[in-house]
Amino acid sequence: MSWTKVVRATEVPAGTIKAVAVDGSPLVICRVSEGEAFAVEDCCSHDDAPLAGGSLSDHVIECPRHGGQFDVRTGQPVRMPAASAIDTVPAQLTEDGWIAVDAEQLP
Ligand code: FES
């Protein structure tokens, strides 16, 4: 693992998402709760819409274009028209107040 700090945790309050780029890979940081953050690729598997323009509800991100939904823990689709998974990247909250992703597992 190669943890790379990508955004201060205070910039992504619980229940919100934020677009970041790590080594040129566009990701969406999903702050599910105070203690949980996930990262997914910023590209819907249905028709390539940027997911960062969508919304987060619990562990589900909704695509802004056609309403497809994905579980941010696994990348698996949970509502049509999304039918195939998106990439996920391990993410964690650091003790010094950042959200970090594993740069070795970028899409
Ligand atoms: S582009 Fe995301 S559901 Fe169609």
Side-chain angles (χ1 to χ4, degrees), residues 54-69:
S55 59
L56 183 69
S57 177
D58 195 13
H59 290 91
V60 173
I61 190 169
E62 181 171 311
C63 176
R65 187 169 296 169
H66 307 114
Q69 296 181 342

Side-chain angles (χ1 to χ4, degrees), residues 36-97:
E36 267 187 312
F38 298 86
V40 300
E41 65 174 315
D42 190 10
C43 185
C44 181
S45 62
H46 175 240
D47 195 24
D48 298 337
L51 291 170
S55 59
L56 183 69
S57 177
D58 195 13
H59 290 91
V60 173
I61 190 169
E62 181 171 311
C63 176
R65 187 169 296 169
H66 307 114
Q69 296 181 342
F70 303 88
D71 188 318
V72 299
R73 295 170 292 193
T74 62
Q76 292 298 313
V78 296
R79 189 171 85 183
M80 297 292 274
S84 57
I86 55 175
D87 287 330
T88 62
V89 179
Q92 68 175 7
L93 292 151
T94 69
E95 289 184 358
D96 58 349

Side-chain angles (χ1 to χ4, degrees), residues 8-19:
R8 287 209 172 267
T10 54
E11 292 182 45
V12 196
T16 69
I17 58 179
K18 185 174 184 65

